[in-house]
Amino acid sequence: MSDLPRGSTVRRDAGLYGYERALRRHGVELIAGVDEAGRGACAGPLVAGAAILPAGAAGIVPGLADSKLLTEKAREKCYDQIVRRALAWSVVVVEHDECDRLGMHVANIEALRRAVAQLGERPEYVLTDGFPVDGLGVPGLAVWKGDRVAACIAAASVLAKVTRDRLMVDLDEQWPLYDFKTHKGYITDTHTAALTAHGPCDIHRMRFVNVRRAAGLEPLPES
């Protein structure tokens, strides 16, 4: 991954759109952000989103922020605005069994690559959240806490989070014992209790040690 173009600077108080403005000052217009949801969950799919927002007022998404900081209602409103305003957007779903086959880190990188590749417009530059992603075919930059400081990454995080949440609510109807509609497959106390009582279901990720323990494939921790 590369740095910002020579001479570009982003002030700490530049706001959520500072990275895009800095790149556009150097002639870079099609700036994609990419992010994922569900990496830390032990059940359900991994979802990656990518978005290219237009310059100027058209690309200002009301209420946009890191998806984890928004209420469900606020995320849904942002999602609708992103889909309406974006020059291009995409969402990629990597199912639980592929996550097991690849391992979570590889699955995560692959999901981010696929999301960028499926954009209807080829970006000139890609901003990623936290760590670099190679193989994108264009320059890019990993941004620390990117979903909180770069609008296109925040938009991608909302696309991924809303999509995954909707999928987990649907999966809750098939697997009601695990209350996926509430905790979305993350390792909460409720989920841990359900795993202990019922063992894993078909959409659990068998590489996770808590799932393997619940399935009797790993010894329980010593008390």
Side-chain angles (χ1 to χ4, degrees):
M1 300 292 279
S2 61
D3 295 325
L4 288 171
R6 184 179 298 276
S8 297
T9 58
V10 181
R11 293 170 46 179
R12 291 186 179 182
D13 60 354
L16 193 61
Y17 296 84
Y19 278 90
E20 284 94 329
R21 284 196 297 267
L23 285 163
R24 288 187 173 113
R25 285 196 297 268
H26 286 75
V28 181
E29 290 296 329
L30 297 179
I31 306 155
V34 62
D35 201 7
E36 53 75 25
R39 182 178 184 180
C42 66
L46 175 72
V47 178
I52 301 174
L53 298 175
I60 304 297
V61 179
L64 181 62
D66 172 10
S67 64
K68 296 184 290 297
L69 303 179
L70 298 173
T71 65
E72 181 179 355
K73 184 176 181 180
R75 281 195 300 269
E76 290 283 352
K77 287 183 177 179
C78 280
Y79 180 96
D80 292 341
Q81 287 288 329
I82 293 162
V83 169
R84 184 178 303 125
R85 293 169 180 266
L87 295 174
W89 65 276
S90 68
V91 171
V92 167
V93 177
V94 179
E95 298 294 351
H96 65 282
D97 52 351
E98 187 173 7
C99 291
D100 276 342
R101 180 173 62 82
L102 296 176
M104 285 312 305
H105 179 69
V106 174
N108 192 47
I109 296 293
E110 181 62 24
L112 298 174
R113 287 185 187 131
R114 291 178 192 175
V116 172
Q118 289 188 19
L119 286 168
E121 294 275 357
R122 179 177 171 81
E124 300 169 78
Y125 202 93
V126 178
L127 298 176
T128 61
D129 181 28
F131 56 88
V133 178
D134 61 7
L136 296 177
V138 295
L141 180 70
V143 181
W144 177 246
K145 295 189 181 298
D147 46 8
R148 300 189 184 191
V149 300
C152 57
I153 300 178
S157 78
V158 169
L159 292 172
K161 173 68 172 166
V162 169
T163 299
R164 188 177 191 278
D165 283 359
R166 291 173 179 175
L167 291 171
M168 294 307 296
V169 169
D170 290 342
L171 288 168
D172 179 74
E173 296 181 4
Q174 298 180 49
W175 309 100
L177 293 174
Y178 301 90
D179 195 23
F180 290 137
K181 67 181 183 297
T182 301
H183 58 70
K184 308 298 188 295
Y186 288 91
I187 308 170
T188 63
D189 290 343
T190 300
H191 195 165
T192 298
L195 269 174
T196 300
H198 308 293
C201 70
D202 288 352
I203 65 167
H204 277 96
R205 301 175 185 171
M206 296 305 297
R207 282 197 180 223
F208 278 60
V209 67
N210 64 320
V211 176
R212 292 180 63 80
R213 285 172 177 164
L217 301 175
E218 292 277 352
L220 295 173
E222 295 182 3
S223 56

